[in-house]
Each structure stands twice: as structure tokens, then as C-alpha cells.
């Protein structure tokens, strides 16, 4: 736990503050490790990925390809649903 907080216990956190904290996630945290795996494009590093790292990256890339095929309406609905979840979580 990089910041020593639990998001669910932070009812007054603004969206901007959340984004700032998220942008500062260090690679040593579990979330930071997943982000690093998902975003890696260096072929030499990819050759050394474990089977689990390859699985994580492939699942993310497959998900991105599926999302790229969303219609404008599907994308709008997904954004609305995400905003609803965030609003419920952070008031």
C-alpha cells in the first residue's frame, strides 16, 4: 500500500486527487506491476516475460482490441457506467 490509505475509507477524495495518486503509482506496487506489464512494448523485455506476465499482457491487448470495435453508443454507455461507479465510490 504505497499511500497508506484505503480508497473506500476516503469519502471526500476528489476525482482530481484520485487521478494524481493513480498517476504516481510506483512500479513496486501490485497495481504498478500490472500497469507496467500491460504497457510494455520493448521486444527484448517481452522475450523475458514469464507465462503469467504474457497472459496478463495478452488479456489486456485482447480487451483493447474488442473495445476498439465499440460503436459510439456503446462507448458512451460504458463511460456513463464508469462515471456512475466512480460517483458511488467517491460521492
Amino acid at each position: 500500500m504505497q499511500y497508506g490509505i484505503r480508497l473506500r475509507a476516503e469519502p471526500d477524495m476528489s476525482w482530481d486527487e484520485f487521478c494524481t495518486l493513480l498517476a504516481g503509482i510506483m512500479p513496486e506496487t501490485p497495481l504498478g506491476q500490472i500497469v507496467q506489464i500491460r504497457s510494455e512494448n520493448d521486444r527484448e523485455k517481452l522475450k523475458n516475460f514469464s507465462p503469467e506476465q504474457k497472459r496478463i499482457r495478452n488479456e489486456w491487448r485482447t480487451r483493447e482490441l474488442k473495445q476498439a470495435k465499440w460503436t459510439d453508443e456503446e462507448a458512451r454507455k460504458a463511460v456513463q457506467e464508469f462515471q456512475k461507479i466512480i460517483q458511488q465510490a467517491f460521492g
Side-chain angles (χ1 to χ4, degrees), residues 18-91:
F18 172 77
C19 290
T20 299
L21 294 174
L22 185 59
I25 290 288
M26 295 173 19
E28 296 79 23
T29 64
L31 178 58
Q33 291 171 358
I34 297 297
V35 170
Q36 190 172 22
I37 290 167
R38 288 176 173 177
S39 62
E40 186 59 64
N41 287 319
D42 183 317
R43 291 183 186 264
E44 290 304 311
K45 290 181 182 179
L46 293 172
K47 287 179 185 178
N48 296 316
F49 266 19
S50 70
E52 179 64 9
Q53 289 171 314
K54 289 177 183 177
R55 182 193 63 76
I56 291 168
R57 185 170 183 275
N58 289 337
E59 283 180 1
W60 181 251
R61 291 173 59 86
T62 300
R63 181 178 180 267
E64 282 185 327
L65 289 174
K66 288 179 183 176
Q67 286 182 346
K69 295 179 183 177
W70 284 4
T71 65
D72 288 342
E73 180 63 19
E74 290 170 329
R76 186 186 63 72
K77 286 181 181 180
V79 168
Q80 285 178 337
E81 183 63 27
F82 178 72
Q83 288 173 335
K84 181 179 172 185
I85 291 167
I86 295 301
Q87 185 177 18
Q88 289 174 345
F90 298 104

